[in-house]
Amino acid sequence: MTQQERRPWIVGVSGASGTPFAASVLRGLLAAGESVDLVVSRASRLTLLDETGIAFRDAHWQEDLRSWLARGADGKPDTFRPDIIGVRHWAAGDLAAGPSSGSYPAKGMLIVPASTACVAGVALGLSKDLLQRAASVTLKERRKLVVAVRETPLSGQTLKQMVALDEAGAVVLPASPAFYAGATHIQDLVDFVAGRVLDAAGVPHQLYRRWEGELGGASRS
């Protein structure tokens, strides 16, 4: 695939707790054969370090990304064998990066997880870093924007900002796992949320068991 033919999904990772959600979404996109442009905010690097022990460094992003995506939600390393050949990384402070412009070809953007600060910044159009700028571009170009909010409880102001995002055309998707899919491990709950994000983006996956209208079906599968 040439650079002219490449149309990636932009994945923004903000500073909310929930880096396993982002890892699962990234693995799902790559498994579906999608290209990915990755933006990891400064705040999210602190969360990633706290939740996984992995320091995400711009100069060594490929090595650090492989370690991150190989890690299971339970913290075990080498649970997965990710192929990151379809990933391009942009530094969060690079406001001259490709995704900062509407003329840059992209399918849309997924923000996973999205902190309330990120929700506010995108809703208000602040564009304080590349993640927020890319989200603003996605909205103005009428491309798909999925915002996986990871916070509880939610203040009235944040709820208003989420409504504003919905009215602007974004899909606001709280990171809320369900249990009808027969989850038996923490990875199952993480993959359910990631699968719903990919559903909203229209990307095929096999991350969770879908509801088929049969009560108790998960327990018998």
Side-chain angles (χ1 to χ4, degrees):
M1 179 185 298
T2 66
Q3 186 59 41
Q4 287 73 24
E5 296 171 330
R6 186 177 183 271
R7 289 189 66 232
W9 284 97
I10 302 166
V11 176
V13 186
S14 81
S17 177
T19 54
F21 295 130
S24 183
V25 166
L26 288 165
R27 288 192 297 264
L29 288 170
L30 295 173
E34 299 286 348
S35 298
V36 173
D37 276 20
L38 178 63
V39 182
V40 182
S41 76
R42 290 189 177 93
S44 70
R45 297 172 194 227
L46 298 176
T47 306
L48 182 63
L49 181 63
D50 184 55
E51 293 183 345
T52 69
I54 296 170
F56 193 90
R57 303 159 294 175
D58 289 336
H60 303 278
W61 71 268
Q62 291 175 312
E63 174 188 346
D64 298 336
L65 180 62
R66 284 193 188 94
S67 296
W68 178 21
L69 297 191
R71 193 180 190 88
D74 59 1
K76 293 180 180 178
D78 302 320
T79 300
F80 302 98
R81 296 186 179 277
D83 181 357
I84 65 169
I85 193 170
V87 181
R88 183 174 185 178
H89 167 258
W90 300 95
D94 185 4
L95 291 176
S100 69
S101 172
S103 66
Y104 183 78
K107 290 184 177 180
M109 183 173 184
L110 316 175
I111 305 178
V112 188
S115 65
T116 54
C118 176
V119 168
V122 176
L124 296 173
L126 297 183
S127 296
K128 75 176 184 65
D129 60 8
L130 180 59
L131 193 159
Q132 291 185 13
R133 172 60 185 167
S136 295
V137 167
T138 301
L139 287 175
K140 80 179 183 69
E141 296 295 326
R142 302 296 191 265
R143 297 169 184 158
K144 179 74 73 174
L145 175 63
V146 182
V147 183
V149 183
R150 216 309 303 161
E151 185 60 84
T152 189
L154 295 168
S155 70
Q157 192 60 45
T158 297
L159 291 169
K160 292 175 184 177
Q161 290 157 352
M162 290 165 62
V163 170
L165 287 178
D166 176 79
E167 291 175 342
V171 175
V172 179
L173 193 152
S176 301
F179 295 85
Y180 61 77
T184 57
H185 302 285
I186 186 173
Q187 189 67 55
D188 298 328
L189 298 175
V190 168
D191 286 347
F192 179 88
V193 172
R196 295 298 287 149
V197 171
L198 296 180
D199 286 344
V203 176
H205 65 87
Q206 296 182 337
L207 287 175
Y208 69 87
R209 176 188 177 276
R210 297 184 181 278
W211 175 252
E212 297 177 349
E214 181 184 2
L215 291 175
S219 62
R220 293 193 293 271
S221 62

